[in-house]
Amino acid sequence: MSKPVYVLGGPNLNLLGSREPEIYGRDTLEDIHQRLRTLAGSTPLELRQTNHEGELVTWIQEASASGSALILNAAAYTHTSIAIHDALKACNIPVIEVHLSNPAARDSFRQVNYVSPAVKATIAGLGAYGYELALMAAKSLTGQEET
Ligand code: DQA
């Protein structure tokens, strides 16, 4: 059994679907997770969301020890968390950062990003489709493409 791709989400992503849909779209987090399950094929997934910074740090450490790749939307912690930056710097697997919106085109406080300097790649502004692209990239990077 191959190691899972971890897909971790930060604060308020549990509200997707009803939260500022003009920015984040109408898909719920469960909708997004369901699409990823379909796309994953034989690749196992760990799909989780938390509103707590320390829990996200613990899960990033777990992903590094037990996963093949990490897809991370740290949500607002992207712009505030040195603890998450440090956890990512210690991560021994490829990490792909995802944002539904494009924070670079939004508020000035979203211009600070502690995640991007510590990851392999960033996908932003493509809505839920960004997660699908990230999973395709994760599978390719870890040699788990379907034949
Ligand atoms: C977000 C962008 C962040 O700036 C924001 O705090 C979020 C969601 C996104 O997916 O577009 O909560 O990460």
Side-chain angles (χ1 to χ4, degrees):
M1 185 75 162
S2 51
K3 291 179 170 183
V5 173
Y6 278 68
V7 182
L8 302 181
N12 299 303
L13 295 178
N14 55 311
L15 301 178
L16 286 179
S18 59
R19 172 195 182 201
E20 299 184 276
E22 66 287 359
I23 296 174
Y24 299 116
R26 298 253 169 222
D27 286 327
T28 66
L29 190 58
E30 182 48 34
D31 292 335
I32 294 171
H33 286 174
Q34 194 46 51
R35 280 201 234 167
L36 294 181
R37 286 186 199 102
T38 303
L39 187 64
S42 58
T43 302
L45 296 177
E46 266 305 319
L47 303 165
R48 300 184 196 169
Q49 184 274 335
T50 179
N51 291 326
H52 302 278
E53 183 177 10
E55 189 160 45
L56 205 46
V57 168
T58 299
W59 288 351
I60 290 167
Q61 293 177 5
E62 180 188 317
S64 179
S66 309
S68 61
L70 168 60
I71 295 168
L72 174 67
N73 184 348
Y77 291 140
T78 304
H79 315 297
T80 62
S81 179
I82 296 169
I84 287 172
H85 173 93
D86 286 348
L88 292 170
K89 289 295 262 191
C91 211
N92 294 316
I93 56 173
V95 183
I96 303 170
E97 175 189 13
V98 172
H99 298 284
L100 295 150
S101 68
N102 180 4
R106 297 181 60 198
D107 323 77
S108 57
F109 59 82
R110 293 181 210 278
Q111 306 313 310
V112 176
N113 185 326
Y114 290 102
V115 169
S116 287
V119 298
K120 182 164 187 64
T122 298
I123 299 170
L126 296 177
Y129 185 50
Y131 282 87
E132 296 181 59
L133 292 174
L135 181 55
M136 284 187 255
K139 287 174 63 150
S140 168
L141 287 167
T142 57
Q144 296 185 74
E145 281 171 303
E146 312 300 324
T147 49

